[in-house]
Amino acid sequence: MLHNKQRDPAEWIAKAMGQFESSGIRKVFDLARKLKDPVNLSIGQPDFPVPEIIRHAAVKAIDSGHNSYTVTQGLPELREGILAKVRENLPPTACEDRSILITSGTTGALVLTLTCVLDPGDEVIGFDPWFVMYPNLTGLSGAKFIAVDTAPTFVPDPNRVRSLITPKTKVMILNTPANPTGAMWPLEVTQALAEMCLEKGILLISDEIYSMFSYDGPFISPAQFNPQTLVIDGFSKSHAMTGWRVGYAHGPSRLVEEMIKLQQFTFVCAPSMAQHGALAALNVDMSTEVASYKERRDFIRRELAHDYDIGQPGGAFYLYVRAPHGRNGTDFVAEAINRNLLIIPGKVFSHHDTHFRISYAATMKTIERGVEILKAMAKA
Ligand code: PMP
């Protein structure tokens, strides 16, 4: 009960917050906590442990007193180490004007980028299905998220993208390999979009957090074709460091300079000990883990191909599957949860309610149990 003089705290909340829906993913996680021994294929984080060398580097950093702020833009040796790898993969023209900033997760990089570039009324081109943060963070700056439909292949049609560009379009966000579809776009599509941004003066943001999980061919960054691409990336998925909060952004130095300024007044810096861990991560080979995720993808695809429309997921650790028999995704997921299987309804990432997302960042035993439930559901 509120006293007459008390104001309803809801009235203090900014209008911009109205567009945030409490994430549908969170709802599934809450349900997960209530179920006994659920078959959990909903979580988008690797199930392998953080490699020992990385853990030791972070512990050593704490024990030897690296517990204060680092410089805003991140440890110089970490920045230099990442940039050296970037230079190996990009042509020299793409590196002429390229600076880097270490952020609090890839999320930190995304928040800083969008806040630094978007004004109210600007338009951001993204793709449906989208990663949940893109429309929400766009809206927080008062800008508009324009979602280009990519169903049923989940690869965008560049002509369709071109037709949605307006004088207000300021940013395009690419994410391949993608969350939630696992789609790895053909090189010519990435190239066409990268060149389109260059031609139209649109800032291209490439979210490359899943680049290491590219199973059917090498990952090629759109920065190959557009030197002004702002790349965001991090250690959460590649080294199972989701809780460490280390990511980074590299791109045109004038932009990065502005992001450093904003970081100074928001996040201050990425966690110091986690940055020391990330430095050690640069020399850790993760190919065994990646190979094991590829095997898991192949296993589920083989097992479900007969009953489900799975498409061509070339990367990340997600499958985006059509609910069978023309059912809608939300109902299908509700039934799956009744059968103790946790998956995410596609509606969380899309205007369509036709699909569901499976994460195969889980043990083989969990995956096998999930596959059995899905097979039974297809027959029901
Ligand atoms: N981008 C994409 C596409 C993601 O899937 C995620 C994590 N789910 C992030 C960014 C954020 O990752 P983090 O902040 O943990 O680095």
Side-chain angles (χ1 to χ4, degrees), residues 44 104-108 131 133-134 175 179 207 209-210 234-237 242 245-246 318:
S104 287
T106 309
T107 305
F131 170 52
M133 284 181 195
Y134 303 157
N175 169 228
N179 179 7
D207 181 345
I209 191 164
Y210 295 104
F235 295 86
S236 287
K237 314 285 169 165
T242 51
R245 313 312 303 136
V246 204
Y318 307 108

Side-chain angles (χ1 to χ4, degrees), residues 193-268:
L193 296 178
E195 289 172 354
M196 198 181 295
C197 286
L198 203 56
E199 175 199 327
K200 298 278 185 185
I202 295 168
L203 169 66
L204 176 60
I205 300 175
S206 176
D207 181 345
E208 305 188 354
I209 191 164
Y210 295 104
S211 60
M212 209 177 76
F213 301 91
S214 303
Y215 307 121
D216 302 327
F219 170 77
I220 308 262
S221 169
Q224 289 265 3
F225 312 107
N226 179 340
Q228 290 192 308
T229 305
L230 186 100
V231 173
I232 61 173
D233 202 338
F235 295 86
S236 287
K237 314 285 169 165
S238 56
H239 297 78
M241 288 163 59
T242 51
W244 295 46
R245 313 312 303 136
V246 204
Y248 51 92
H250 53 87
S253 43
R254 180 63 190 87
L255 238 164
V256 169
E257 191 187 304
E258 206 64 16
M259 291 162 69
I260 294 170
K261 194 164 87 188
L262 183 57
Q263 172 136 291
Q264 196 177 348
F265 295 105
T266 51
F267 301 94
V268 181

Side-chain angles (χ1 to χ4, degrees), residues 32-83:
R33 253 177 260 126
K34 287 181 197 135
L35 293 179
K36 246 203 201 139
D37 189 27
V39 180
N40 197 344
L41 297 182
S42 68
I43 299 183
Q45 63 178 332
D47 67 314
F48 52 83
V50 177
E52 200 178 8
I53 300 177
I54 303 175
R55 297 199 311 267
H56 284 180
V59 170
K60 194 171 154 214
I62 292 174
D63 286 343
S64 52
H66 293 293
N67 297 303
S68 359
Y69 304 125
T70 67
V71 285
T72 311
Q73 60 270 44
L75 295 177
E77 54 277 41
L78 178 58
R79 277 183 282 137
E80 204 27 65
I82 296 170
L83 271 186

